[in-house]
Amino acid sequence: MRAKLTYALTAAVLLIYFVLVGSRGFMLIKAGTLLTVTFGVAVLILPVIGLWFLWKNTQFVRRANALAAELDAEGGLPVDELKRTPSGRIDRDSADEVFARRKAETEDAPDDWRSWFRLAVAYHDARDTPRARKAMQRAIALRETTG
């Protein structure tokens, strides 16, 4: 729940920022000189890119959460079996061990979105966020093709 609130707060702050930047872009365009119109258009591109990125990220999060809910309903969510340090951080060797099992599971069933979802969680636990995201994207794509 904390992650959802943080995401919502960050998205709201970004939206406010995009509105402020966009209004400055329109003000520059209204000034009417070649230089200010050029800068105004350039400034308007930034919120457009930001909105696109925020939209794509929000779609990703919603789809990943839907997969998690479906997997939870099936009783297939990965169990947290990781060892932790006294400070609460995940033990690297433990994460690597679980990752190796999840990778083997995915290699055995490469067309199963469930195994890709669990692999994404293992990548995340191993602190490999880019690969975790790619594995989750693969899980989402596989789920969407299987209906």
Side-chain angles (χ1 to χ4, degrees), residues 111-132:
D111 294 330
D112 182 14
W113 68 267
R114 293 162 186 85
S115 64
W116 281 97
F117 182 95
R118 289 187 281 267
L119 180 64
V121 172
Y123 270 127
H124 183 269
D125 291 341
R127 298 185 198 129
D128 191 345
T129 305
R131 287 192 177 120

Side-chain angles (χ1 to χ4, degrees), residues 30-45:
K30 280 177 126 179
T33 69
L34 179 62
L35 184 64
T36 60
V37 169
T38 304
F39 278 132
V41 170
V43 167
L44 285 177
I45 290 172

